[in-house]
Amino acid sequence: MAQRGAPGANEEELEHGISKFLDQLIKTLIVETTETPMQSRQVSGPSGGGKPNLSEIGESATQHGRELQLHGFTAEQVVHDYGDLCQAISDLAVERGQAIEVDEFRTLNRCLDNAIASAVTEFGYQRDFVVADKQAMHLNERLGFFAHELRNQLCTATLALSIIKEGNVGLSGATGGVLDRALLGLGNLIDRSLAEVRMQAGMPIQHRLFSLADFIAELKLSASLEAQVSGCTLTVSEVDPLLAVDVDRDLLLSAAGNLLQNAFKFTHPRSEVILNAYALADRILIDVQDHCGGLPPGLAEEMFVPFTQGAENRSGLGLGLSIARRSVEANSGTLSARNKPGSGCIFTIDLPRHSLPEKHIAA
């Protein structure tokens, strides 16, 4: 059994399955030779089922089943664990020319049967607990993603509305357009959450070809409001009008928006946030650069882990960068981070390069 290669099991834990079982088997056989043979059931458990876990063998086998599950065994391996022992006993008896009496073999089978039943039952319970815990964590993460995205859209809408209320701009202007898009984004987010079950069932991502320049211009409108509130300067590069991306626009907008919000949240006051979109060979790159002062060594990749917050500002859930990476990867792209010690961070969305059709460019 030890040669099956238990992943991480130590000798003490293996003893619960082998050495202890052998001791209990010997004890059972000895009791059955006394004037009260039925007392052996306190060690081995009853025949034909019953409650074997109330016996000594049942208790130790339960513990052994728990240990095997923790070390990554399968249910089949748990059964083979005791099957190996039965085979080893039979082989040894043949090698030494030792006959096994019928009653003794029945006792062996009863002990093995009850041990397997207890071990497999506990193994199943522990596996169900692990699965339930993972499902609960996954559900909490998904709810956190949803709440985070709702808050982002609501924040943009609130900023736009506050500027409109000051009376310096009208509803028909660019700021009114930002408010419209934020409200539309809220509706889209709710629609996407309702459609998530269909997506899990195999519904494809809604790819469409659109202008990269138009996309960056839309980002600039909403990001300018955040720059104004945070006291930072937003610099946006000129984008080649021929460049295009073929992705799910809502997912890419979510990813880029999260990167910009993250930049404004952590960049130093009166510093600069840079949005730069360009082509490099067959790829399109969208960079968001902040001036947060840089990161401690090794933190750049950890920031993409859900619920991770590596800075003093912990007003969020630590989900924004994880959401952004998932959205980019759903569009066959990658999201990476580069640390510039003493300066800041550069987050890069990397997507396949496309071009607009000639008729669209002419229009």
Side-chain angles (χ1 to χ4, degrees):
M1 189 280 293
Q3 292 176 351
R4 287 187 181 274
N10 58 46
E11 292 183 2
E12 182 179 351
E13 291 169 334
L14 293 177
E15 285 180 357
H16 289 122
I18 298 300
S19 297
K20 185 165 291 188
F21 178 86
L22 289 174
D23 291 340
Q24 292 163 342
L25 175 60
I26 294 170
K27 184 177 179 180
T28 299
L29 290 168
I30 291 175
V31 173
E32 289 188 346
T33 63
T34 66
E35 296 180 354
T36 55
M38 293 306 294
Q39 289 186 1
S40 66
R41 270 55 175 177
Q42 297 176 5
V43 182
S44 66
S47 300
K51 296 182 178 180
N53 58 308
L54 298 180
S55 65
E56 294 181 20
I57 283 181
E59 292 177 0
S60 58
T62 295
Q63 183 175 356
H64 189 54
R66 183 183 305 117
E67 291 165 349
L68 293 180
Q69 196 283 325
L70 292 175
H71 286 294
F73 278 84
T74 65
E76 180 184 12
Q77 289 172 316
V78 175
V79 175
H80 281 308
D81 182 0
Y82 291 97
D84 287 341
L85 179 59
C86 181
Q87 186 66 43
I89 292 174
S90 300
D91 291 345
L92 186 61
V94 172
E95 290 177 11
R96 297 193 175 185
Q98 179 67 51
I100 299 179
E101 301 293 336
V102 173
D103 289 341
E104 292 174 335
F105 200 76
R106 287 176 178 172
T107 298
L108 172 61
N109 282 339
R110 185 178 74 249
C111 291
L112 286 171
D113 186 36
N114 288 335
I116 292 172
S118 296
V120 170
T121 299
E122 182 63 21
F123 181 92
Y125 282 144
Q126 295 299 322
R127 182 182 56 191
D128 291 343
F129 289 150
V130 171
V131 171
D133 287 343
K134 289 182 178 179
Q135 290 177 340
M137 290 178 62
H138 182 61
L139 177 60
N140 288 336
E141 184 176 322
R142 289 168 60 189
L143 290 175
F145 288 165
F146 181 67
H148 183 89
E149 289 291 89
L150 280 177
R151 188 185 64 176
N152 287 345
Q153 295 287 359
L154 184 59
C155 178
T156 300
T158 302
L159 289 173
L161 181 60
S162 64
I163 292 176
I164 293 173
K165 289 172 66 176
E166 291 177 358
N168 297 323
V169 297
L171 283 171
S172 59
T175 304
V178 171
L179 177 60
D180 287 340
R181 281 187 290 274
L183 294 175
L184 180 61
L186 285 170
N188 289 338
L189 181 59
I190 294 172
D191 290 340
R192 290 185 71 87
S193 68
L194 294 175
E196 187 173 356
V197 173
R198 299 199 305 272
M199 293 177 64
Q200 292 292 334
M203 179 180 176
I205 300 296
Q206 300 298 315
H207 284 262
R208 68 184 181 92
L209 187 72
F210 57 88
S211 166
L212 179 63
D214 291 346
F215 177 78
I216 295 300
E218 182 176 348
L219 276 177
K220 181 179 178 180
L221 284 175
S222 57
S224 296
L225 296 179
E226 294 186 71
Q228 180 180 340
V229 172
S230 62
C232 300
T233 300
L234 173 66
T235 301
V236 182
S237 66
E238 294 292 330
V239 182
D240 186 341
L242 301 179
L243 295 177
V245 287
D246 187 3
V247 297
D248 186 307
R249 187 184 183 96
D250 291 337
L251 287 179
L252 184 59
L253 193 62
S254 168
N258 270 311
L259 294 180
L260 285 166
Q261 289 171 0
N262 185 75
F264 289 121
K265 179 179 179 180
F266 295 109
T267 199
H268 293 159
R270 296 179 296 279
S271 63
E272 182 184 34
V273 171
I274 301 172
L275 175 61
N276 187 23
Y278 54 98
L280 188 63
D282 62 345
R283 310 298 295 179
I284 282 181
L285 306 178
I286 302 174
D287 291 341
V288 175
Q289 181 176 354
D290 62 41
H291 286 83
C292 64
L295 298 170
L299 187 59
E301 188 61 26
E302 291 182 8
M303 292 189 300
F304 292 103
V305 178
F307 303 103
T308 298
Q309 295 174 309
E312 294 181 0
N313 187 339
R314 296 178 178 269
S315 57
L317 293 173
L319 292 171
L321 294 179
S322 178
I323 293 172
R325 171 167 279 185
R326 285 175 51 185
S327 299
V328 172
E329 290 176 347
N331 283 300
S332 302
T334 60
L335 173 58
S336 59
R338 286 177 288 155
N339 183 33
K340 299 180 68 177
S343 176
C345 302
I346 302 176
F347 293 89
T348 300
I349 297 174
D350 185 329
L351 297 167
R353 178 176 179 172
H354 294 273
S355 299
L356 291 174
E358 292 185 4
K359 60 180 181 179
H360 182 86
I361 297 173

